[in-house]
Amino acid sequence: MRGAGRILFKKGEGLFNRTQEDEKQFLEEIKAKLSVELKHMSGRVSRYAQDVREQKQYMWDSKGDMDHVEKISARESADQTMRSGEVALDAKRRIEKLLQSPYFGRFDFRRDDDSFEEMPVYVGIHSFSDRENRRSVIFDWRAPICAMFYDFELGHARYRSPSGEVHGDITLKRQFRIRRGQMEFMLESGLNIMDDVLQEELSRTSDERMKNIVATIQRDQNAIIRNEDAEVLIIQGVAGSGKTSIALHRIAFLLYRFKETLSSKDVLIISPNKVFADFISNVLPELGEEQITELEMESLANELLGRRYKFQTHLEQSSMLLEGRDPNLGRRIRAKASTEFLGKLEEYVKHVEASRFCPVDLPVRDHAVPATILDVAYRKRPDLPLTQRLRWVAECAEHEAWVQWRVELTAKERAALKAAVRKMGRNAALKTLYREFYVWLGQPELFKAVRGRLEYCDVFPLIYLKLRLDREDGAYRHIKHLVVDEMQDYTPVQYAVLARLFPCNKTILGDVNQSLNAWAASTAETISELLRHCECVKLYKSYRSSYEITQFAQSISPSADLVAIERHGPKPRVLACRDESQEHDLVVQMISHFRKQDFQTMAIICKTQEGAHRLFKSIRKKGEDAHLLTARSTAFESGVVVCSVHLAKGLEFDRVLVPDASEKSYQSALDRNLLYVACTRAMHDLVLTHTGARTPFIGDEAPYEGDTQL
């Protein structure tokens, strides 16, 4: 059958679209239907736009003749029309996207109850219903029935529908690549149909931003994405396991599953920096969802402290640590990055609470409210900030005077009573209280200001003290889901702050082996102890890098659990240079070589920001162009970028060059982590250069080639 009849599945017809030619014809029919729908939606958008213009013109022309009620009604009508127009515009954009690639998979499902024969289910990024036949033609990948595409091969299968679990058999399974409306290939298999597609996708060069993975989601990834029950889901995954992408797809799924109660405005991502936020910014819009708000920890700190305190950035503190400018900095960071420290800080909060209110008998005309009454009143409201709490005590004292002696205070007496109660409170400055914490702890040397600024390791302990004492933690109560990336880089105190600010469901992801501060690393187990109702899942398969690069990274930081996907490429190279000048010449030569290849992105990843800046200047001086990533960078750039390991975290590049991989630069346990993170950013090609002895973390078995071979 051709035309509309082929889109409707009819019982008794046999296999629907038997051959690839049938599928290509079906694709053309779907595109024709989509084109009709696009024309319809374009008309609706135009009509809504015209209606809005006319309504605004009417309000302008009639503003002198309408009363207040009429104006409100006209504005509400215009707003409703605009909202309807936005819905229509979103639908139009989805149709435009479907026209480029309507679907990527198909499976035929026969239910056990035999109420249907094989039902063909075409899986796409968005759903589409044939308006003429009133039937779903393409199913959204997040729909319950589509879970079977990821979870089962041919044979028995099941899915959870709103009415209960449905059982049956998958009798056919296909995967397509459709680009710009053209079918590039069709694969049909009863085994792991997605393996070939996955291999081909992984072998492609990187893009400017992270891509969606809906066509290649694996079974274990699908289970995480569709987990709708976990209050706190911790994803511990090896480098390149797709943690961030999975977390974003999970958010897309939850927005689809709970569309009535959850919107993109209710979700917040805590990300390591703005470059990373830009790198991942394309995923949710590709999946048809609005972009969600992203916030860095430092920006959050500034908001919570009212921008009254200056402090180091995390990058500045890390640079100081790596450059060894303060031999005691590591000790201070380590001391403030433990659960024991959080416990001591909580003890201090109770100490301050007990000592910041000193009640005395309060005169009220010819009587006195006993200090014990005031103390009881104070202790009854530990949930209030100090100022409100003292006001509460004053109200209790006034009430006591009326109950005991029938004394009704005048306005002047009431003001005097409140002033007297306020004097009983010790409202010391937050920074003073924080500094005194270390005196109380018996370790005043653990607090040190840097040119009048707080050290970064002091910022969140200070915030925790503020939240506990002032109880001003309601600014983010509207957030219903929090995503925390690079979980290993946040301390127990930071998690305690997040727990108070965001009493909502969370997705937390990271890898302790990629911590850039070994003394402040949080594991999944540590986080589970700090947050309640946690569920932890682990991902061991690495997809980003070629097998050779993954094995090389394993020699630096071995993980017995890691499984490298067997996508092969050139072996990593370690190139020796005579001196720094020759090393910089080699870097420039590699950049020139990169521009002649099909690669899209190349990163030159230095150990420190200072080293990145110095090398960048040398590259520019030698006539090559590159982008330098700094703490102020806001966008992920294609082409050649120079950056530190800290700013490369979470990113991926076709080619990675790690300069100065020498024994002098990489020698400590922290250095090992840095080198591992740098190397695991590479997808297809990895080169390391060094002068003098190379770092012992590479090992003698690593490939070693001359300094002229690229």
Side-chain angles (χ1 to χ4, degrees):
M1 296 178 64
R2 299 295 181 204
R6 294 192 72 249
I7 292 181
L8 263 176
F9 174 75
K10 293 185 177 181
K11 189 170 182 178
E13 285 185 348
L15 181 63
F16 184 73
N17 291 339
R18 290 177 178 274
T19 68
Q20 185 164 340
E21 287 306 311
D22 288 339
E23 291 286 12
K24 286 183 177 180
Q25 177 62 33
F26 179 72
L27 173 61
E28 293 304 315
E29 294 166 9
I30 289 291
K31 285 163 55 182
K33 293 283 183 181
L34 287 168
S35 296
V36 171
E37 185 66 15
L38 179 61
K39 186 176 180 180
H40 172 74
M41 295 310 302
S42 297
R44 287 188 63 190
V45 170
S46 297
R47 287 194 296 275
Y48 280 126
Q50 179 63 27
D51 288 347
V52 169
R53 286 193 294 270
E54 291 176 357
Q55 287 173 320
K56 287 185 175 180
Q57 187 63 46
Y58 171 76
M59 285 189 289
W60 175 259
D61 294 341
S62 308
K63 63 180 181 179
D65 301 325
M66 289 191 294
D67 60 25
H68 181 65
V69 174
E70 288 175 318
K71 288 178 181 178
I72 292 175
S73 177
R75 278 198 297 268
E76 288 179 347
S77 177
D79 289 344
Q80 179 59 49
T81 303
M82 287 181 65
R83 285 192 293 271
S84 298
E86 288 170 358
V87 171
L89 183 59
D90 286 341
K92 177 188 172 185
R93 288 169 178 160
R94 286 195 292 272
I95 297 300
E96 290 172 338
K97 190 178 289 290
L98 285 176
L99 268 168
Q100 295 298 308
S101 180
Y103 44 83
F104 52 82
R106 167 194 170 177
F107 64 96
D108 290 5
F109 181 64
R110 181 195 294 127
R111 291 175 53 156
D112 281 348
D113 59 15
D114 200 31
S115 58
F116 301 92
E117 292 190 357
E118 288 88 352
M119 173 187 177
V121 178
Y122 284 84
V123 185
I125 286 184
H126 305 302
S127 62
F128 174 65
S129 296
D130 180 7
R131 187 184 295 272
E132 181 181 348
N133 293 314
R134 297 182 181 179
R135 183 180 179 88
S136 295
V137 181
I138 303 170
F139 290 79
D140 191 299
W141 66 277
R142 298 167 291 185
I145 194 171
C146 292
M148 292 190 291
F149 179 73
Y150 301 106
D151 290 342
F152 296 98
E153 304 305 331
L154 297 187
H156 185 71
R158 64 186 181 279
Y159 72 97
R160 188 168 63 178
S161 76
S163 59
E165 199 163 76
V166 178
H167 291 255
D169 288 285
I170 292 177
T171 59
L172 178 139
K173 193 170 181 184
R174 288 173 177 165
Q175 186 134 7
F176 311 94
R177 171 178 287 161
I178 302 171
R179 288 182 180 169
R180 294 179 288 277
Q182 300 302 311
M183 186 180 294
E184 295 184 359
F185 65 68
M186 180 188 90
L187 294 177
E188 184 168 353
S189 172
L191 299 174
N192 286 322
I193 187 171
M194 286 186 283
D195 284 357
D196 292 337
V197 179
L198 177 62
Q199 286 280 359
E200 204 280 336
E201 285 294 322
L202 295 175
S203 66
R204 293 172 59 195
T205 58
S206 65
D207 205 342
E208 288 188 6
R209 291 180 176 86
M210 182 180 285
K211 301 181 286 288
N212 76 70
I213 60 169
V214 290
T216 57
I217 292 171
Q218 304 298 289
R219 185 176 301 173
D220 56 343
Q221 297 172 337
N222 191 48
I224 297 170
I225 289 168
R226 293 176 185 267
N227 185 329
E228 59 187 67
D229 300 320
E231 293 183 26
V232 178
L233 184 63
I234 301 175
I235 307 172
Q236 164 72 47
V238 298
S241 57
K243 301 178 292 293
T244 302
S245 185
I246 291 167
L248 293 174
H249 284 69
R250 180 174 190 241
I251 294 303
F253 171 78
L254 294 174
L255 289 170
Y256 174 89
R257 173 68 178 82
F258 301 105
K259 58 173 69 79
E260 301 300 325
T261 57
L262 185 69
S263 73
S264 58
K265 295 176 183 178
D266 303 325
V267 183
L268 176 69
I269 295 181
I270 302 291
S271 67
N273 54 64
K274 288 186 174 10
V275 174
F276 177 80
D278 181 62
F279 178 63
I280 67 174
S281 63
N282 202 44
V283 176
L284 284 169
E286 271 194 2
L287 297 173
E289 301 295 344
E290 293 181 18
Q291 188 55 266
I292 59 181
T293 304
E294 169 274 332
L295 194 63
E296 299 169 73
M297 271 293 201
E298 289 154 23
S299 299
L300 177 64
N302 254 324
E303 289 185 19
L304 294 172
L305 293 174
R307 304 187 183 279
R308 292 196 298 267
Y309 300 89
K310 294 182 178 180
F311 56 82
Q312 277 183 328
T313 65
H314 182 252
L315 184 60
E316 287 172 333
Q317 178 179 275
S318 299
S319 297
M320 282 189 66
L321 183 65
L322 292 174
E323 292 159 13
R325 285 184 261 160
D326 184 340
N328 295 316
L329 176 59
R331 176 172 175 262
R332 294 196 295 276
I333 294 173
R334 184 189 292 111
K336 299 166 190 177
S338 67
T339 53
E340 290 76 18
F341 176 82
L342 176 60
K344 289 294 182 183
L345 194 56
E346 182 61 27
E347 285 181 33
Y348 180 66
V349 167
K350 294 176 181 177
H351 165 75
V352 172
E353 285 279 11
S355 60
R356 72 192 312 209
F357 182 62
C358 302
V360 295
D361 291 350
L362 181 65
V364 179
R365 291 190 188 169
D366 299 329
H367 309 280
V369 178
T372 53
I373 296 292
L374 303 179
D375 189 52
V376 169
Y378 178 81
R379 294 179 186 280
K380 272 186 178 179
R381 295 307 305 268
D383 57 309
L384 295 176
L386 181 62
T387 302
Q388 295 180 28
R389 204 168 176 183
L390 295 176
R391 193 179 302 131
W392 156 261
V393 172
E395 291 171 358
C396 289
E398 183 179 357
H399 178 72
E400 183 72 14
W402 169 255
V403 170
Q404 293 295 332
W405 309 297
R406 289 295 185 268
V407 172
E408 187 172 355
L409 301 182
T410 64
K412 185 175 181 180
E413 288 174 324
R414 189 176 295 112
L417 183 145
K418 289 180 179 178
V421 172
R422 278 197 302 271
K423 288 180 181 179
M424 299 178 197
R426 180 187 175 226
N427 200 9
L430 178 63
K431 194 172 179 179
T432 300
L433 286 173
Y434 182 65
R435 187 184 295 111
E436 289 177 358
F437 164 60
Y438 293 99
V439 177
W440 174 84
L441 200 61
Q443 296 179 291
E445 72 280 1
L446 288 180
F447 180 82
K448 180 183 177 181
V450 184
R451 298 191 190 94
R453 297 187 301 166
L454 289 167
E455 289 187 321
Y456 184 74
C457 60
D458 283 315
V459 174
F460 281 89
L462 179 73
I463 290 172
Y464 183 80
L465 188 63
K466 179 179 187 294
L467 293 179
R468 288 288 285 108
L469 293 176
D470 293 348
R471 274 77 180 183
E472 297 174 1
D473 55 359
Y476 296 95
R477 295 285 170 162
H478 66 285
I479 297 297
K480 297 179 181 178
H481 200 104
L482 180 71
V483 180
V484 181
D485 208 341
E486 303 295 351
M487 69 182 189
Q488 69 279 356
D489 289 337
Y490 303 124
T491 65
V493 172
Q494 287 175 302
Y495 280 108
V497 168
L498 293 177
R500 295 192 70 84
L501 291 175
F502 303 99
C504 60
N505 289 358
K506 300 174 181 68
T507 302
I508 302 174
L509 53 141
D511 176 16
V512 71
N513 291 325
Q514 296 184 64
S515 173
L516 298 189
N517 185 348
W519 300 322
S522 290
T523 65
E525 290 71 26
T526 302
I527 298 168
S528 295
E529 292 175 5
L530 295 166
L531 306 177
R532 291 180 291 180
H533 310 299
C534 293
E535 182 178 330
C536 183
V537 293
K538 297 189 177 182
L539 298 170
Y540 299 119
K541 186 173 285 189
S542 180
Y543 298 96
R544 176 188 298 131
S545 305
S546 68
Y547 182 82
E548 288 75 14
I549 293 172
T550 301
Q551 292 302 106
F552 181 86
Q554 280 285 86
S555 71
I556 296 170
S557 181
S559 171
D561 297 322
L562 186 144
V563 177
I565 191 164
E566 296 216 20
R567 174 180 63 82
H568 292 283
K571 291 182 178 180
R573 285 145 291 161
V574 184
L575 308 180
C577 300
R578 183 176 58 256
D579 51 32
E580 186 181 78
S581 176
Q582 187 188 32
E583 187 173 27
H584 286 194
D585 286 339
L586 184 57
V587 169
V588 170
Q589 188 182 352
M590 289 181 179
I591 293 173
S592 178
H593 183 257
F594 160 79
R595 299 195 191 284
K596 298 173 185 176
Q597 297 177 299
D598 293 331
F599 292 146
Q600 302 297 313
T601 57
M602 174 179 177
I604 303 168
I605 305 177
C606 302
K607 178 182 173 182
T608 66
Q609 195 64 28
E610 182 182 350
H613 187 72
R614 188 171 63 251
L615 181 56
F616 173 74
K617 285 172 48 177
S618 177
I619 292 169
R620 295 292 294 271
K621 190 174 181 180
K622 293 177 184 295
E624 271 293 353
D625 191 28
H627 302 283
L628 176 67
L629 293 186
T630 69
R632 295 183 179 181
S633 299
T634 59
F636 179 80
E637 304 282 358
S638 59
V640 180
V641 299
V642 183
C643 61
S644 66
V645 181
H646 281 81
L647 291 178
K649 285 197 69 175
L651 306 180
E652 58 186 30
F653 305 88
D654 292 324
R655 189 179 207 186
V656 167
L657 169 60
V658 182
D660 195 22
S662 64
E663 183 178 37
K664 183 178 179 181
S665 288
Y666 293 95
Q667 53 181 283
S668 68
L670 173 57
D671 294 338
R672 182 193 292 271
N673 279 10
L674 291 168
L675 186 62
Y676 176 77
V677 170
C679 292
T680 54
R681 301 308 93 199
M683 298 171 63
H684 308 297
D685 192 42
L686 173 64
V687 179
L688 297 88
T689 64
H690 66 94
T691 60
R694 59 177 173 172
T695 171
F697 299 137
I698 293 176
D700 295 334
E701 70 281 0
Y704 192 92
E705 300 176 0
D707 58 10
T708 59
Q709 188 167 352
L710 299 182

